[in-house]
Amino acid sequence: MRDSARLSRRALLALAATAPVAAAAPAPATGPVLGGDRLARDTVQVGRTTGLPRRLTARSWLVADQDSGEVLAAYRAHRRLPPASTLKMLFADTVLDRFPRSGRHTVTAADLAGIPAGSSLVGIRAGTTYTVDQLWQGVFLRSGNDAVHVLAHMNGGVAKTVAEMQAKARELRALDTHVVSPDGFDHPGQLSSAYDLTLFARHGLRDPGFRAYCRTRTADFPAGGGKTFQIQNTDRLLSGAWGLRAYPGLVGVKNGYTSDAGNTFTGAATRAGRTLLVTVMHPGNRADAVYEEAAALLDWGFGHGASARAVGTLVEPVGLRHGAKPSPTSGSAATGTVAGGPSAGRLVEGAGTAVALLAGGAWVLRRRGAPKRARGRHRE
């Protein structure tokens, strides 16, 4: 039953009159909000501090401390919106450690079938052999949907990978997220939130491989025939491209764009030993707005965030007690072959975790209606 069906006709008319075009209309909260009740409110949430950036246009944003998990400030953190390529963080969280980096795979036409028209591509060709390391460079640097689809096929297929990503989201307690495709391309019902995207980044940055890929600026990529071409990271705060300066101490993580969904960005930066996370979703129409607002929020976090009282918290994955630090190699596959996939036990464990979490009812989130969107083009 759709959330909107629970609303009265009068409430629906009132929401329709005031809500922005194509925005998701929030439904009433049905229980405690993951991370704290303040994170579901429709106003800016911040502790007793000053200097918060003005004129923020994003529909949703969040600033948090990587180590403590404290949310320092947020706006509609659980609002469900199309994530674009930032969803690739969840893809990496799910698949990154399945294959050894030195493994090699010769791409087939079947590996490249079903890539949505208008996708960003790194330039993978059927018949060419790539290392797993090169494929992940294509995912992180160029946001290549072709690289994502090749890795998904290596993992047993797109449908299987989507199911595993959904189970991983539940394991991370990212309950705003609904996965339809592994690449984040616009599909009806494919949604996430600033809160969930920040969870994906926080989890990924605990993996040395994830961290290394998302901070890589350039790499040489196979062009066939023994030749290579250079690919550059599309994260403008990392590269300093298109008139933007590189943000000092930036670690990554992932940017995204489609013409229908707009811009999304989750970043992390370290200064004086402290790492902050920021997520900005769907700001104004200017191409640089997502980066400018993310940089402004990071500046605030480093300058004023230390004196801000937390307005919420980033929860730990299922099975990890609050405050515990997972091993950097937790869940990683140290051995295996490119042709192999995850064990059946791991799949059952992930699916069982999702069922147990939902059935237990320990965390009930405010749900948002899904905006209807056509497939987008010109994505990062």
Side-chain angles (χ1 to χ4, degrees), residues 311-331:
V311 298
T313 186
L314 299 177
V315 295
E316 294 290 352
V318 171
L320 186 68
R321 66 178 177 83
H322 180 70
K325 293 185 178 181
S327 167
T329 57
S330 175

Side-chain angles (χ1 to χ4, degrees), residues 33-110:
V33 176
L34 203 63
D37 288 346
R38 294 183 67 176
L39 299 184
R41 297 177 186 174
D42 287 334
T43 55
V44 172
Q45 300 299 306
V46 63
R48 292 180 181 176
T49 187
T50 59
L52 197 68
R54 298 181 180 181
R55 299 178 182 176
L56 294 172
T57 64
R59 293 183 179 180
S60 176
W61 55 263
L62 181 149
V63 184
D65 186 284
Q66 163 78 8
D67 292 330
S68 69
E70 290 184 340
V71 177
L72 306 178
Y75 175 61
R76 295 178 173 178
H78 281 295
R79 188 177 191 181
R80 302 177 76 203
L81 295 165
S85 281
T86 47
L87 194 66
K88 288 182 172 75
M89 292 187 295
L90 177 60
F91 174 71
D93 287 340
T94 306
V95 181
L96 182 61
D97 291 325
R98 299 288 172 86
F99 314 112
R101 307 290 192 271
S102 60
R104 300 172 68 82
H105 178 77
T106 301
V107 173
T108 68

Side-chain angles (χ1 to χ4, degrees), residues 32-292:
V33 176
L34 203 63
D37 288 346
R38 294 183 67 176
L39 299 184
R41 297 177 186 174
D42 287 334
T43 55
V44 172
Q45 300 299 306
V46 63
R48 292 180 181 176
T49 187
T50 59
L52 197 68
R54 298 181 180 181
R55 299 178 182 176
L56 294 172
T57 64
R59 293 183 179 180
S60 176
W61 55 263
L62 181 149
V63 184
D65 186 284
Q66 163 78 8
D67 292 330
S68 69
E70 290 184 340
V71 177
L72 306 178
Y75 175 61
R76 295 178 173 178
H78 281 295
R79 188 177 191 181
R80 302 177 76 203
L81 295 165
S85 281
T86 47
L87 194 66
K88 288 182 172 75
M89 292 187 295
L90 177 60
F91 174 71
D93 287 340
T94 306
V95 181
L96 182 61
D97 291 325
R98 299 288 172 86
F99 314 112
R101 307 290 192 271
S102 60
R104 300 172 68 82
H105 178 77
T106 301
V107 173
T108 68
D111 292 337
L112 301 174
I115 298 174
S119 290
S120 61
L121 304 172
V122 66
I124 291 175
R125 299 180 180 182
T128 300
T129 299
Y130 302 85
T131 65
V132 171
D133 184 57
Q134 290 165 340
L135 293 173
W136 281 112
Q137 289 171 349
V139 173
F140 277 89
L141 275 66
R142 295 302 302 173
S143 203
N145 286 4
D146 46 357
V148 169
H149 278 253
V150 170
L151 286 162
H153 280 283
M154 291 167 58
N155 188 52
V158 170
K160 177 173 175 284
T161 301
V162 166
E164 291 173 8
M165 288 173 65
Q166 192 67 66
K168 186 68 174 182
R170 294 295 179 261
E171 178 188 326
L172 298 178
R173 296 159 77 181
L175 303 186
D176 297 327
T177 297
H178 180 239
V179 183
V180 177
S181 68
D183 50 37
F185 200 82
D186 284 340
H187 294 280
Q190 181 141 277
L191 299 167
S192 191
S193 67
Y195 186 87
D196 285 9
L197 293 176
T198 309
L199 289 180
F200 301 153
R202 188 185 188 210
H203 179 75
L205 289 172
R206 289 167 167 168
D207 183 304
F210 183 107
R211 192 179 185 95
Y213 281 124
C214 72
R215 70 190 308 169
T216 300
R217 289 176 168 80
T218 64
D220 291 328
F221 198 79
K227 298 180 180 180
T228 63
F229 62 96
Q230 188 183 82
I231 57 174
Q232 300 85 29
N233 200 310
T234 59
D235 179 349
R236 299 180 191 179
L237 284 188
L238 184 70
S239 65
W242 298 92
L244 288 177
R245 69 180 182 92
Y247 191 86
L250 196 78
V251 180
V253 180
K254 191 72 190 75
N255 54 326
Y257 171 76
T258 69
S259 56
D260 292 323
N263 287 283
T264 56
F265 178 76
T266 296
T270 300
R271 191 175 295 176
R274 187 187 193 196
T275 299
L276 295 182
L277 299 165
V278 62
T279 294
V280 175
M281 299 188 76
H282 302 231
N285 292 329
R286 293 183 302 104
D288 288 340
V290 73
Y291 300 108
E292 292 170 351

